[in-house]
Amino acid sequence: MADYDLVIAGGTVVTPADMFVADIGVADGRIAAVGLNLRGQRTVDAHGLLVMPGGVDSHCHIEQLQQGGGADEENFITGSTSALAGGTTSVITFSTQFKGHGILAPLAEYRRRAAKAMVDYSFHQIITDASDEVIFNEVPRVVAAGVRSLKVFLTYDPLHLDDRQFLRVLAAARRTGALVTVHCENYEAIRWRTAALLADGKVAPKYHAWSRPSMIEREATHRAIALAEMVDQPIQIFHVSCPEVAEEIARAQARGLKVWGETCPQYFVLSADDMDRPGFEGAKFMCSPAPRDAAASEGLWKLVRDGVLDVCSSDHSGWSYDTPVGKRVHGLDAPFRDIPNGVPGLGSRLPILFSEGVSKGRIDPCAFVRLVATNPARLFGLYPRKGTIAPGADADLVLWDPNRTVTITNSLLQHIIDYTPYEGLEVTGWPVSTIRRGEVVMKDGIVQAEPGSGQFLARAAYDLIKPTGNVPFGFDASAFLV
Ligand code: URP
Ligand code: ZN
Ligand code: ZN
């Protein structure tokens, strides 16, 4: 007689802490048992494969509304398809605010759009206008609705916040029990260097990297940490591109601050040289912060091993190359300043990280699981429902062939974007099957999931992001609505 709805039999189970051969019994979409000789109504044979928690991508832009009207090309169906093809079962995407507007109406609109998703999903609430109404009335309501992270940009027109506005967001997060995630680059320094580059006729995509060298990211990271320390508000620094920036985070962590660091696959395998390809081709690799060089990439691995950078998300932000609405929206001669930033990466995140990390001997499979699933789930309040393999967790799993070598092509990734910056990259290690809440939703690259079968993940209060209680002179300024 079968004890479970489904048994994944004979694989090497990889948890955040250990690896062992076992069966996994699934009942009602959850992991019910991890053991030997389990019997299910259905069996998936996993002999010779790794069985890991489904990926949790805590930073990806899907169907994000644009200031000028319309939304990101990648929608919740195509984004889900790519995520599932690549072994990711949960995503945290964004609800954005436009200056002069509130955040409640956009969140309702994102909830409506995301109802089509086939992955489980949550949102970070972007704040671009820290008005009294938003900070004092709307943020508490958004957080109470389960959107327990706020996102701010310290650069980009028209998104960036000045320091005073940033402080107001930090204080609102402290009062409501939310995490703040930060895009750290110095707005004025980029504008100044960009003006000089354009004045000198340096307009090609490669000058994107020249406009924002690493000290611009390092300064903003240092400032974000100092201001968060003053407010006593936990933060995560998004998309760290190089060791100098991560070292700011390491120093903060050594002082006992709740500061976490995220990096992304593009900072391990791309470099500023990629933006120096002939003609407009470099635009395919343009993202912010800019990819640096091979030494920076290698240096990031050490900071991953040391635990300073403990999350690797995709920062999927796709703009097609050959369509009039994507990278070339302002024409093929557009100066770098006017080319949309961002690279697609939902489906390639796990294969690149596994290949560069595990297959090349830089990290072990448990560290890989922590980086792409457990740590993002913990940091964003989804653990232990997501991000691990243990009784009670959702049965979100990826069955992985660690020996399969694949040359990445865009079609394998199944996103809507018409290119991948990783075209031709050879990876060792590939997802064979993805299981979401006990349902096989991808097998051998074929994604079969009902649109709308993804669930909204409302995130309740959790201890990890509680303030430390240390404020300068014992005076908690965030208690005042200023
Ligand atoms: O270039 C990037 N990273 N675009 C996406 C938006 C962001 O900054 O995260
Ligand atoms: Zn960013
Ligand atoms: Zn982003």
Side-chain angles (χ1 to χ4, degrees):
M1 209 189 93
D3 298 313
Y4 305 102
D5 303 335
L6 173 72
V7 165
I8 295 104
T12 299
V13 175
V14 187
T15 78
D18 50 9
M19 281 171 71
F20 49 88
V21 173
D23 302 337
I24 297 173
V26 177
D28 297 326
R30 294 191 171 195
I31 296 172
V34 181
L36 295 175
N37 304 317
L38 304 184
R39 288 170 305 173
Q41 286 171 24
R42 286 173 305 128
T43 301
V44 171
D45 181 10
H47 285 88
L49 301 177
L50 303 179
V51 183
M52 303 189 280
V56 177
D57 193 343
S58 54
H59 178 174
C60 46
H61 303 267
I62 302 176
E63 220 168 317
Q64 194 167 312
L65 299 175
Q66 303 295 329
Q67 183 80 29
D72 279 357
E73 246 181 301
E74 201 72 76
N75 60 59
F76 279 95
I77 293 187
T78 57
S80 295
T81 304
S82 186
L84 295 174
T88 287
T89 46
S90 301
V91 301
I92 308 182
T93 178
F94 294 86
S95 165
T96 197
Q97 177 197 18
F98 296 124
K99 282 197 198 301
H101 295 263
I103 56 176
L104 297 179
L107 180 58
E109 172 63 8
Y110 283 102
R111 291 286 311 265
R112 190 187 69 72
R113 288 172 179 264
K116 301 186 297 287
M118 296 107 79
V119 285
D120 291 351
Y121 57 91
S122 186
F123 301 99
H124 305 292
Q125 178 62 55
I126 296 175
I127 308 288
T128 62
D129 187 348
S131 65
D132 285 357
E133 173 62 14
V134 166
I135 292 297
F136 303 142
N137 296 330
E138 296 193 359
V139 164
R141 293 173 65 184
V142 162
V143 174
V147 175
R148 205 159 275 278
S149 41
L150 308 177
K151 155 83 185 284
V152 300
F153 292 95
L154 299 186
T155 191
Y156 285 146
D157 266 324
L159 306 175
H160 90 287
L161 297 186
D162 63 24
D163 289 350
R164 175 74 189 263
Q165 293 171 318
F166 178 41
L167 286 167
R168 281 161 64 87
V169 174
L170 291 167
R174 192 176 195 275
R175 285 191 296 271
T176 52
L179 183 68
V180 176
T181 62
V182 196
H183 177 124
C184 293
E185 290 185 292
N186 183 304
Y187 173 69
E188 293 295 352
I190 293 170
R191 282 177 13 123
W192 180 71
R193 276 186 73 87
T194 298
L197 285 163
L198 298 184
D200 196 26
K202 293 184 164 52
V203 296
K206 79 169 187 179
Y207 296 111
H208 174 71
W210 291 37
S211 74
R212 49 216 320 134
S214 64
M215 62 286 285
I216 274 174
E217 185 186 356
R218 176 163 53 83
E219 183 280 332
T221 302
H222 178 84
R223 181 162 35 101
I225 290 170
L227 297 182
E229 179 176 9
M230 186 181 74
V231 178
D232 182 29
Q233 167 56 38
I235 57 171
Q236 187 200 39
I237 307 296
F238 265 174
H239 41 45
V240 172
S241 72
C242 58
E244 302 93 282
V245 171
E247 282 154 13
E248 296 289 337
I249 299 171
R251 274 193 286 282
Q253 291 171 344
R255 290 208 304 284
L257 303 183
K258 289 194 175 185
V259 176
W260 291 273
E262 170 211 73
T263 190
C264 313
Q266 47 270 39
Y267 301 115
F268 292 117
V269 293
L270 301 182
S271 77
D273 288 346
D274 285 307
M275 283 176 269
D276 193 15
R277 304 222 181 166
F280 194 66
E281 186 87 7
K284 289 182 175 175
F285 307 89
M286 189 184 274
C287 58
S288 295
R292 310 294 177 190
D293 57 24
S297 300
E298 201 54 52
L300 285 178
W301 279 111
K302 178 176 182 323
L303 288 139
V304 164
R305 282 191 295 273
D306 292 349
V308 173
L309 302 173
D310 66 346
V311 166
C312 188
S313 73
S314 68
D315 191 10
H316 177 93
S317 178
W319 302 87
S320 281
Y321 183 70
D322 269 325
T323 64
V325 292
K327 290 280 185 186
R328 57 182 73 190
V329 62
H330 296 296
L332 289 172
D333 295 326
F336 67 86
R337 181 196 56 197
D338 298 336
I339 300 171
N341 281 202
V343 293
L346 265 167
S348 49
R349 180 179 71 117
L350 266 59
I352 291 175
L353 258 290
F354 189 92
S355 185
E356 293 295 313
V358 180
S359 304
K360 293 193 176 170
R362 294 178 170 117
I363 55 173
D364 66 27
C366 299
F368 170 78
V369 161
R370 292 195 294 273
L371 199 58
V372 301
T374 317
N375 293 343
R378 272 189 205 278
L379 185 59
F380 291 102
L382 298 172
Y383 183 88
R385 178 174 171 192
K386 304 292 186 187
T388 193
I389 297 179
D394 280 355
D396 291 346
L397 302 164
V398 57
L399 276 51
W400 196 270
D401 183 345
N403 300 314
R404 183 158 161 207
T405 295
V406 172
T407 301
I408 291 184
T409 61
N410 195 47
S411 61
L412 286 174
L413 303 175
Q414 303 190 44
H415 49 222
I416 205 168
I417 306 305
D418 66 357
Y419 83 97
T420 169
Y422 311 115
E423 188 77 32
L425 181 72
E426 194 176 89
V427 291
T428 299
W430 194 254
V432 170
S433 184
T434 306
I435 296 173
R436 186 216 53 205
R437 281 181 277 106
E439 188 185 345
V440 178
V441 283
M442 187 281 282
K443 188 167 170 3
D444 297 328
I446 312 287
V447 174
Q448 273 184 324
E450 202 54 42
S453 55
Q455 290 182 356
F456 173 61
L457 301 167
R459 295 178 281 139
Y462 54 107
D463 284 349
L464 184 62
I465 60 164
K466 282 193 175 146
T468 64
N470 297 323
V471 285
F473 298 99
F475 176 70
D476 176 13
S478 74
F480 298 85
L481 300 187
V482 293

